[in-house]
Amino acid sequence: MGSALEEAAPADGRQPGASRHHVLRIRGLTVGFKGDPVLTGVDLVFPRGTITALIGPTGSGKSTFLRTLNRMNDRVPGYYRKGEVELDGQSIFAPGVQLMALRRRVGMVFQRPNPFPLSIMENVVAGVRAHGLADRAGRRRIAEARLREVGLWGALAHRLNESPFRLSGGQQQLLCLARALAIGPDILLLDEPTSSLDPVTVEAVEDLLRRLTPAITVIVVTHNLAQAKRIAHFTAFFNQGRLVEHGPTARVFGDPSAEETSRYVTGRIG
Amino acid sequence: MARMVGAPAGEGTPLPALPPLQGSPGWRRRVANRLAWALAGLALVVILAPAVWIVAGVVYRAAPHWHWSVLTTPGDRPTLALPSGGLENAVLGTLLIMAGVTLVAGSIGVLSGIHLAEQARGRVGDLLRGASEVLAGIPSIVLGYVGYIALVVGFHWGYSLLAGVLVLAVFVVPYVAKSTEVALRQVPTSYREGAEALGMPPGYALRRVVLRTALPGITTGLIVALAVAAGETAPLLYTANYSDALPTLHLTHHSVGYLTDVVWTFFNLPSRAEVQLSYDAALLLIVLVMLLIAVSRLVIGLTQRHAEPARG
Ligand SMILES: Nc1ncnc2c1ncn2[C@@H]1O[C@H](COP(=O)(O)OP(=O)(O)OP(=O)(O)O)[C@@H](O)[C@H]1O
Ligand SMILES: [Mg+2]
């Protein structure tokens, strides 16, 4: 994988994060819900400060994989798992691990915007408040900083006490991004975050994700192959519960080693 | 997948050609449509008509002789205007009983609803739900009698506020628990997952996000339960008895007056003043229930400012 890192450079010529450490390492991960496994024997590393795109046909296990990384599957009935996920060398499944702490470090944004029925302001700092990270004034500053970061401050500065459900879908999604960023995660998991957004907002989100690296490691599930090419340093291709191929984005798309990958990225399966 | 019109045979059954955009739907559909609307309208009338009739009837009979002093005159202090006394004792008694029921049934019911929705799965949950349904099925007069044996006689509480409140609370707890459980189950998974993904501890997420979303359902259930409790007479006859004197804050050994008893008893008494009082009491009960509903709307309105608009 070391050489893969060197090769990795997205189309705009940026270099991946300075640190070569793998912030996340997945080893022999098998996951299922009752019956047959949904994911089998996944080995994968995520270098710190990079963007990795997870691609693959529908039902290939991308969301299941993503949700395993912050243990969102734990409470799903019938869930079982083998293998390891190591965050900075420590198993996230070890008995002493605090879910609260894990999820502060590993944030998540969902496919459909899911603001809480609180005011816009309270939404942005919901996590900050839950973790007791700042007092009232501090929360206000954090809210402003994060709304600026996602580009909503201009539109929302005077509407902070309104309901988030009066915002457009794209604005709601940006709000959810701001909410996830507000608790300062190391890793951000995104499950098809732009699939319901208009092209302009998609571009805004992509710009934001680029700006977040190398401070944050981004893992993003996407069905939009062009998006993967635009933003991801690395791409992992899943098919039928297996990780088929993983490497620098340019190589996975330009010179895939597996026949399956080649068929998928040229639009012949999926 | 686009619908294939007149798809080639072999690829499933071909569908009939598309209908023209203009023109009327077939008569079957029109008749079915009209019928459905007519039935819905009829159902509305069936519900509304008796309600309007009762309220109008009570107002019509109570209003002409209404004296504001019924609110300030207890039953044991007749005045010139009110030769049979007033209703202050009964109004205060009903308010006290309702406050007690809100406290006891509200807390126990909402907590058990939370437990049923969030924790009790599998066999324990089924057992609890079954028990709650059995309790809901017991007629109130039976509960009143059990309360009499156990509380009034067994615990030596005598006829008392506490015995009345407890029996009524037991009577409505299943409603409160059920409506709380249903309201919590309707909270979208996306709220819970969003809270979970931010690392909120389960109890915190419940308070800050989930309960707030479920509050309209919970409040409505509680109000219905209170309205039912306010209208009950049988269990109170056995436990609170009745008193013409103003209620005290003694929990035991003091009978308490309440409006439903006035409605029921005074209506059958010979004097006009007493029959008049029974209409006044009925009117006050109706006003009380309406106030309850208004307060609940207010609570809902204040807490749901940021709620997701209902999806049609
Ligand atoms: N909670 C669950 N219980 C049972 N099976 C599940 C559950 N979640 C996912 N699965 C199964 O796991 C498989 C992979 O699902 P997953 O959602 O991970 O796919 P995906 O790659 O994200 O697909 P998509 O691109 O459509 O989002 C599917 O066959 C699905 O039915
Ligand atoms: Mg998915």
Side-chain angles (χ1 to χ4, degrees), chain B residues 228-279:
Chain B
V228 169
E232 275 295 329
T233 324
L236 291 177
L237 287 176
Y238 278 115
T239 49
N241 196 18
Y242 186 80
S243 166
D244 275 328
L246 284 180
T248 57
L249 287 174
H250 289 98
L251 290 179
T252 57
H253 297 105
H254 287 76
S255 298
V256 185
Y258 43 93
L259 288 168
T260 46
D261 186 90
V262 178
V263 177
W264 187 72
T265 316
F266 286 25
F267 188 72
N268 296 314
L269 294 182
S271 102
R272 276 196 57 185
E274 280 158 340
V275 174
Q276 179 56 39
L277 271 185
S278 94
Y279 281 116

Side-chain angles (χ1 to χ4, degrees), chain A residues 228-242:
Chain A
K229 281 193 228 177
R230 282 195 299 268
I231 62 171
H233 304 98
F234 298 95
T235 295
F237 172 59
F238 285 78
N239 197 11
Q240 300 184 343
R242 287 168 305 110

Side-chain angles (χ1 to χ4, degrees), chain A residues 188-199:
Chain A
L188 191 59
L189 311 173
L190 304 110
D191 197 345
E192 301 178 42
T194 60
S195 60
S196 60
L197 305 185
D198 76 289

Side-chain angles (χ1 to χ4, degrees), chain B residues 64-108:
Chain B
H65 312 276
W66 178 256
H67 266 284
W68 286 103
S69 60
V70 292
L71 292 176
T72 51
T73 313
D76 57 1
R77 306 250 176 79
T79 61
L80 268 182
L82 299 165
S84 303
L87 295 172
E88 188 183 1
N89 59 316
V91 170
L92 289 181
T94 291
L95 288 179
L96 267 181
I97 291 172
M98 304 284 281
V101 171
T102 311
L103 211 69
V104 179
S107 52
I108 296 180

Side-chain angles (χ1 to χ4, degrees), chain A residues 33 38 56-65 76-77 111 191-192 221 223:
Chain A
F33 305 94
V38 168
T58 181
S60 55
K62 307 178 297 293
S63 298
T64 305
F65 177 75
V76 177
Q111 177 173 4
D191 197 345
E192 301 178 42
V221 172
H223 280 289

Side-chain angles (χ1 to χ4, degrees), chain B:
Chain B
M1 193 52 91
R3 273 192 4 159
M4 300 281 282
V5 176
E11 291 285 337
T13 325
L15 293 169
L18 287 171
L21 277 182
Q22 292 198 327
S24 50
W27 66 270
R28 268 168 197 279
R29 199 179 299 174
R30 255 180 314 178
V31 169
N33 202 9
R34 294 255 169 87
L35 207 65
W37 278 116
L39 284 177
L42 193 70
L44 191 69
V45 170
V46 166
I47 292 176
L48 274 186
V52 170
W53 187 65
I54 290 169
V55 172
V58 168
V59 172
Y60 175 76
R61 289 186 175 83
H65 312 276
W66 178 256
H67 266 284
W68 286 103
S69 60
V70 292
L71 292 176
T72 51
T73 313
D76 57 1
R77 306 250 176 79
T79 61
L80 268 182
L82 299 165
S84 303
L87 295 172
E88 188 183 1
N89 59 316
V91 170
L92 289 181
T94 291
L95 288 179
L96 267 181
I97 291 172
M98 304 284 281
V101 171
T102 311
L103 211 69
V104 179
S107 52
I108 296 180
V110 170
L111 287 176
S112 13
I114 291 175
H115 182 75
L116 285 174
E118 306 288 320
Q119 261 121 35
R121 308 197 184 283
R123 209 172 289 164
V124 181
D126 290 342
L127 203 74
L128 284 175
R129 268 178 279 273
S132 175
E133 271 154 32
V134 169
L135 193 59
I138 299 178
S140 63
I141 192 158
V142 175
L143 284 180
Y145 190 63
V146 171
Y148 173 75
I149 304 274
L151 306 177
V152 177
V153 178
F155 285 4
H156 305 291
W157 287 353
Y159 292 122
S160 57
L161 179 63
L162 192 58
V165 164
L166 285 189
V167 164
L168 272 190
V170 167
F171 180 58
V172 296
V173 148
Y175 292 103
V176 181
K178 189 80 209 166
S179 56
T180 302
E181 184 190 356
V182 169
L184 284 172
R185 283 189 193 283
Q186 283 172 348
V187 175
T189 320
S190 64
Y191 288 0
R192 294 174 195 270
E193 292 205 322
E196 218 182 321
L198 281 176
M200 289 188 191
Y204 182 91
L206 187 72
R207 266 179 291 133
R208 183 110 179 107
V209 178
V210 178
L211 272 181
R212 179 185 296 248
T213 314
L215 199 78
I218 296 175
T219 318
T220 307
L222 194 60
I223 294 302
V224 170
L226 283 180
V228 169
E232 275 295 329
T233 324
L236 291 177
L237 287 176
Y238 278 115
T239 49
N241 196 18
Y242 186 80
S243 166
D244 275 328
L246 284 180
T248 57
L249 287 174
H250 289 98
L251 290 179
T252 57
H253 297 105
H254 287 76
S255 298
V256 185
Y258 43 93
L259 288 168
T260 46
D261 186 90
V262 178
V263 177
W264 187 72
T265 316
F266 286 25
F267 188 72
N268 296 314
L269 294 182
S271 102
R272 276 196 57 185
E274 280 158 340
V275 174
Q276 179 56 39
L277 271 185
S278 94
Y279 281 116
D280 289 350
L283 181 64
L284 286 172
L285 264 177
I286 291 174
V287 169
L288 191 71
V289 169
M290 287 183 171
L291 277 178
L292 269 178
I293 293 173
V295 167
S296 75
R297 292 290 115 191
L298 202 70
V299 169
I300 291 173
L302 285 179
T303 56
Q304 303 298 303
R305 267 172 309 150
H306 302 307
E308 197 162 0
R311 275 159 298 202

